[in-house]
Amino acid sequence: MRELVRVCLNEWMKLVRRRRLWVASLLGVAMVGLFAYATYHNYQMQQKYNSLAAWRQQLVVDKQRLADLRRQQQHPAKSHAEPGAPDVAQQMQEVQDSIRQLQKQIAEATKSDAQWRQEQAKSVRAEQKSLAQLQAQTAPASGLPAAQHQSDTAQTRLALLSDTYRLTHNVRPLPSGSQDPYTMVMEFTQFSASVFLPLLAVILTADFVSGESTSGTIKLLLVRPVPRWKVLLGKWLVACLATALLTAGLLAVVWLIGCLQYGMHGARQPQVVGLTYQFKHFIASDGSSTDVVIPLLTHAHVLPMWVYLLASAGLEVVAMMVVATIAFLCSTLFKSAMASTAAALGAVVIGFVVTQFLQGSRVVPVLFPTHMNLAANWTGQTAQNLGLTVSLGTGLCTLAVWGVLSLVGAFVYFMRKDVLNA
Amino acid sequence: MSVLTLEGVSKRIGKRWIVEDLNMTVEDGEVYGFLGPNGAGKTTTIRMIVGLARPTRGQIRLLGQDVWRDRRQAMSALGTIVENPEVYSYLTGRQNLLHYARLAGLGDAPKRIDEVAEMVRLKDRLDEKVRRYSLGMRQRLGVAQALLARPRLLVLDEPTNGLDPAGMREFRELMRALAKQGTSVFVSSHLLSEIQMMCDRVAILKGGRVVGEHTVADLTQAATGRVRLQVGDVVAATGVLAAAGWSDVKTEGQTLIVEAEQSDVPRLVRALVAGGVDLYAVEPQRESLEQAFLELTEAQGVESMADNRSVRGGEQGA
Ligand SMILES: Nc1ncnc2c1ncn2[C@@H]1O[C@H](COP(=O)(O)OP(=O)(O)OP(=O)(O)O)[C@@H](O)[C@H]1O
Ligand SMILES: [Mg+2]
């Protein structure tokens, strides 16, 4: 045990002095910076066109226009409308619709908590009623109607899950057009999990062993009393630790930037997890086909956003450690650091492309790049994207198999190989 | 007890036998040379001794422990440089040594690091990044790393590559001093002069087989049946010798090399003095290790000229 700790200390000492760690960190930080900028840009656009202030401004403009149109209607002689333009009555109708819509939105956003609770309770009751009605119906025995009935029931239940949560925990939806650190982390995970974070994991770990073969220092590691497996285990542990720290660190930085820019709100918003979907495909006798999507709610429950995000950051770390392990296998198989990095990058990029191409194929769930965003597996998003019943369990099992096989491969090869020309 | 034993060690890579049936023993406090032309299999043998490659056949024991089966005990007695002394160029010398000390499980690492740095004269540059070291300094760091864990046996593959003459001499003295303290040294080289000055015994490897194992004294003391004469007048001397019955005479400047037994020397000198030739020196010609080496490796009849030349070239380069 003490020996393993010493091996790990050595690996850490080397890692922090190598350029790769800093390259990966800088790339990560640069990406986070760009992402934060893009988010802020979007936020400003939203504030400009889709916020309480913007609606109020628009309301004033619309009212002014309505008044103008009225005047035109009363003094048609003065109008110099071009031919073909919609007549004044129609225009007035449109403006009035817009005003009504804006007033509704403003009322929604400015109503008191008590008011909101009352309305939320009302809509929950309505959903409960429709659910009861659905259940009271004798369910169709089979075929398309049965599936549709099943789907409707489950969809209503799903809506009830978060609506009830909002009511019992007194969580109002965030105003539209707002931004919060939690959504920001979720979006960052979504867009970086499939390629960018794996890329960093590969840069960081793909030369852990091959780098030493290239420089010849592997000989020095293997002529010591420490057994080979312990040398490799120490390397793997440090590779995983570094990947985990980098991944968690980047997510934490995104969250911090979010907190600084938008404040800390949004932590208690509900998030349904443990969800997956079933997909049924029906072909009618006239040849037309219908797809029915049925949410599977057996394990579904609601978590507050901050718990969900902590857990999903953990899941992301696990996924990246699996990528690191695959890169680590490449680094034991190849003697050149270049070759092993290229092979690991190839696995990640080609894997990603293949999962995009083969959407809907049965092979996709067993490929590791499918499950790079495990949090999306958890919320059922991956299942919806793929059109296949894929759950968090599927993702974890698949990644576990890839990870274990890679690790076993690395150990078996490393234990047996002769170091002849390093 | 012998420190290192090789019993019938053979190694096959692909379909080729790189080394075949090696049997060697290195005793306590002995400096053992391992000599052979390029491609003879020295490095391959050393890789097997230090546990980097597995022998296809045979057994290697360090202090009686099998290198593969009782790795921990065997390796804790070993210090080594295989081919080039590899170092982490992005670490400082001290960090490099700390790295090895941790792997060796050394208790008093900081003190020991200073000790070995002193031994190889690297102390003032120890906290610099190795990237800035010269080749010779890296070599010294390699030696320091090999000595770190107080090994009973040092296995060194061409350790004096890149050392200047003073460095080489220091290195030789260090090896001899260590041997005196009871450390055995197994050193491969194609620098014959190096081996000649440093080793007690030498094995000569040729095409993967040991073609001779001798004490260096035996190899170099053997009289060759030739006498070197330094004379004033080469032509007169040759004439006198021919008249006295020694017609097989080679001339090298003012020196004559005559085929003559040790017992004939007095008669030869008398003949020259009587013939009025000025005689400055008479000495029996001793065989150098180089000649012995070439004879032994050429006796097998498969040595190529290219190999010979590169061996000589190596010595001249030094
Ligand atoms: N990995 C390998 N695969 C195949 N053949 C190899 C391998 N490594 C070495 N050889 C062969 O083994 C033979 C011995 O090589 P080795 O490096 O042991 O020679 P050496 O005695 O150390 O030579 P040198 O004096 O040039 O260092 C050579 O013919 C070489 O081509
Ligand atoms: Mg060699």
Side-chain angles (χ1 to χ4, degrees):
Chain A
M1 191 59 206
R2 300 226 332 255
E3 205 172 50
L4 186 60
V5 171
R6 285 200 301 264
V7 172
C8 291
L9 281 176
N10 269 347
E11 293 308 323
W12 188 254
M13 173 171 85
K14 288 184 273 180
L15 179 72
V16 295
R17 284 176 182 79
R18 267 186 341 177
R19 237 173 271 131
R20 284 200 174 222
L21 178 68
W22 304 112
V23 168
S25 307
L26 276 179
L27 275 178
V29 168
M31 193 54 135
V32 167
L34 283 175
F35 173 78
Y37 173 74
T39 313
Y40 186 65
H41 182 76
N42 277 345
Y43 171 70
Q44 277 189 322
M45 296 300 276
Q46 288 286 329
Q47 286 298 304
K48 206 162 164 190
Y49 300 111
N50 193 16
S51 66
L52 197 54
W55 294 331
R56 283 187 170 138
Q57 214 176 345
Q58 184 64 36
L59 194 62
V60 173
V61 173
D62 278 359
K63 278 182 173 161
Q64 181 65 46
R65 183 160 160 68
L66 190 64
D68 284 349
L69 286 169
R70 271 216 185 95
R71 229 171 297 129
Q72 255 181 52
Q73 205 176 25
Q74 280 157 10
H75 311 282
K78 282 182 194 166
S79 99
H80 24 258
E82 309 104 60
D87 63 40
V88 177
Q90 196 183 335
Q91 281 185 39
M92 274 175 70
Q93 183 63 41
E94 276 167 15
V95 175
Q96 269 165 348
D97 281 351
S98 157
I99 288 174
R100 225 171 289 128
Q101 180 68 25
L102 284 169
Q103 276 168 338
K104 209 172 118 195
Q105 281 174 336
I106 291 169
E108 182 79 19
T110 51
K111 72 189 159 199
S112 72
D113 272 351
Q115 235 176 336
W116 171 78
R117 282 186 64 83
Q118 217 172 4
E119 281 169 30
Q120 184 73 6
K122 215 164 90 189
S123 69
V124 166
R125 271 198 304 279
E127 277 164 358
Q128 277 167 339
K129 206 169 123 198
S130 70
L131 181 63
Q133 270 169 2
L134 278 167
Q135 282 167 334
Q137 287 168 16
T138 43
S142 66
L144 183 57
Q148 264 161 351
H149 179 258
Q150 216 179 340
S151 169
D152 290 344
T153 317
Q155 295 283 12
T156 317
R157 273 223 184 97
L158 185 55
L160 254 177
L161 263 181
S162 34
D163 283 345
T164 319
Y165 182 93
R166 281 190 188 284
L167 189 62
T168 50
H169 292 78
N170 201 14
V171 189
R172 276 181 76 163
L174 293 173
S176 91
S178 77
Q179 183 57 274
D180 68 278
Y182 297 91
T183 317
M184 207 169 139
V185 176
M186 205 160 87
E187 282 169 358
F188 181 75
T189 316
Q190 240 157 41
F191 110 101
S192 62
S194 54
V195 174
F196 183 67
L197 288 179
L199 181 91
L200 292 190
V202 165
I203 291 179
L204 204 55
T205 56
D207 77 333
F208 246 75
V209 182
S210 57
E212 305 242 13
S213 301
T214 308
S215 70
T217 43
I218 186 99
K219 291 181 295 194
L220 292 171
L221 291 177
L222 301 186
V223 297
R224 307 287 149 179
V226 184
R228 278 190 185 195
W229 66 264
K230 229 177 236 182
V231 171
L232 197 67
L233 183 62
K235 276 189 171 295
W236 179 69
L237 287 176
V238 171
C240 280
L241 178 68
T243 311
L245 286 180
L246 185 64
T247 310
L250 286 181
L251 294 181
V253 169
V254 174
W255 181 78
L256 268 178
I257 293 177
C259 284
L260 291 177
Q261 278 188 317
Y262 313 111
M264 304 265 295
H265 58 278
R268 294 171 58 236
Q269 293 294 315
Q271 174 69 49
V272 180
V273 294
L275 190 62
T276 183
Y277 293 87
Q278 200 179 5
F279 299 87
K280 288 197 171 162
H281 189 71
F282 293 96
I283 298 172
S285 50
D286 64 354
S288 68
S289 68
T290 321
D291 285 303
V292 184
V293 182
I294 307 166
L296 299 180
L297 299 171
T298 350
H299 305 289
H301 55 117
V302 183
L303 289 179
M305 202 63 177
W306 68 273
V307 176
Y308 164 71
L309 268 187
L310 267 185
S312 64
L315 290 172
E316 195 53 36
V317 164
V318 169
M320 289 312 119
M321 291 204 310
V322 171
V323 175
T325 307
I326 292 169
F328 192 74
L329 169 70
C330 292
S331 91
T332 51
L333 294 185
F334 293 90
K335 285 204 187 91
S336 124
M338 271 283 250
S340 66
T341 309
L345 275 184
V348 166
V349 173
I350 295 174
F352 173 70
V353 172
V354 165
T355 54
Q356 298 298 304
F357 266 120
L358 291 181
Q359 289 238 340
S361 147
R362 298 260 149 226
V363 214
V364 170
V366 302
L367 299 177
F368 77 89
T370 311
H371 307 288
M372 289 293 89
N373 187 357
L374 281 174
N377 280 35
W378 204 18
T379 58
Q381 205 189 328
T382 310
Q384 275 182 313
N385 288 346
L386 292 176
L388 291 168
T389 309
V390 173
S391 66
L392 178 61
T394 328
L396 283 174
C397 287
T398 310
L399 289 187
V401 169
W402 278 87
V404 168
L405 286 185
S406 299
L407 201 57
V408 168
F411 270 87
V412 167
Y413 183 75
F414 192 72
M415 290 299 289
R416 298 165 60 94
K417 82 165 170 184
D418 279 348
V419 181
L420 279 172
N421 22 19
Chain B
M1 187 180 61
S2 49
V3 178
L4 171 70
T5 52
L6 277 77
E7 290 166 18
V9 171
S10 306
K11 176 74 184 175
R12 191 180 59 194
I13 301 179
K15 281 192 182 140
R16 248 186 80 201
W17 289 93
I18 307 291
V19 294
E20 274 191 275
D21 197 30
L22 296 186
N23 294 288
M24 285 184 264
T25 50
V26 177
E27 306 296 336
D28 245 349
E30 185 180 33
V31 181
Y32 192 95
F34 193 44
L35 205 53
N38 289 139
K42 302 183 294 293
T43 301
T44 309
T45 310
I46 284 181
R47 279 176 194 272
M48 289 192 282
I49 293 174
V50 301
L52 287 174
R54 212 184 277 260
T56 313
R57 270 198 228 126
Q59 207 175 29
I60 299 174
R61 272 196 263 252
L62 276 170
L63 293 175
Q65 313 280 353
D66 188 285
V67 171
W68 279 90
R69 254 174 294 143
D70 307 298
R71 186 190 164 82
R72 187 180 293 277
Q73 287 91 326
M75 288 299 157
S76 53
L78 179 81
T80 180
I81 305 179
V82 183
E83 275 182 329
N84 313 308
E86 314 296 357
V87 281
Y88 298 100
S89 57
Y90 49 86
L91 299 181
T92 66
R94 190 182 299 281
Q95 284 163 345
N96 265 288
L97 291 179
L98 179 64
H99 180 267
Y100 310 134
R102 281 189 186 138
L103 289 175
L106 228 55
D108 55 344
K111 208 174 117 240
R112 181 67 185 158
I113 287 171
D114 283 334
E115 257 173 51
V116 292
E118 185 76 58
M119 261 190 242
V120 299
R121 317 229 163 156
L122 209 57
K123 209 165 175 189
D124 353 324
R125 306 288 300 270
L126 204 57
D127 287 307
E128 259 177 59
K129 283 246 157 67
V130 172
R131 195 178 292 132
R132 288 196 236 138
Y133 281 19
S134 70
L135 177 59
M137 291 164 69
R138 281 175 208 215
Q139 203 82 26
R140 283 158 202 260
L141 188 59
V143 175
Q145 151 297 110
L147 294 177
L148 201 59
R150 302 183 184 86
R152 293 282 309 278
L153 171 69
L154 275 174
V155 176
L156 307 170
D157 193 8
E158 300 177 22
T160 52
N161 259 351
L163 288 186
D164 57 20
M168 277 197 202
R169 181 150 152 210
E170 247 171 59
F171 174 80
R172 276 199 303 272
E173 277 159 15
L174 182 60
M175 290 302 113
R176 295 252 52 128
L178 286 169
K180 215 168 265 165
Q181 290 162 25
T183 310
S184 311
V185 183
F186 182 95
V187 55
S188 93
S189 178
H190 42 225
L191 296 190
L192 298 140
S193 54
E194 198 54 49
I195 295 267
Q196 193 165 359
M197 280 184 269
M198 195 163 62
C199 299
D200 303 313
R201 274 199 301 157
V202 53
I204 294 178
L205 192 69
K206 169 78 215 317
R209 287 173 175 277
V210 173
V211 294
E213 191 186 45
H214 305 271
T215 68
V216 170
D218 276 356
L219 271 179
T220 54
Q221 293 308 301
T224 51
R226 276 181 228 118
V227 180
R228 297 170 72 89
L229 304 169
Q230 216 179 314
V231 294
D233 183 345
V234 175
V235 181
T238 314
V240 170
L241 286 174
W246 286 285
S247 52
D248 195 359
V249 177
K250 266 186 245 157
T251 313
E252 279 179 12
Q254 292 299 106
T255 308
L256 298 179
I257 299 166
V258 189
E259 294 284 338
E261 290 306 316
Q262 202 80 357
S263 53
D264 289 337
V265 173
R267 204 157 62 79
L268 193 143
V269 173
R270 271 199 297 276
L272 284 172
V273 173
V277 176
D278 292 339
L279 192 57
Y280 294 93
V282 182
E283 55 172 347
Q285 187 173 12
R286 303 236 179 266
E287 193 167 36
S288 77
L289 187 58
E290 177 177 359
Q291 282 162 334
F293 172 71
L294 290 180
E295 272 164 34
L296 273 166
T297 50
E298 265 165 1
Q300 304 295 305
V302 277
E303 187 64 88
S304 75
M305 280 311 288
D307 274 1
N308 278 338
R309 226 177 290 136
S310 60
V311 169
R312 287 204 191 102
E315 194 176 27
Q316 280 156 10

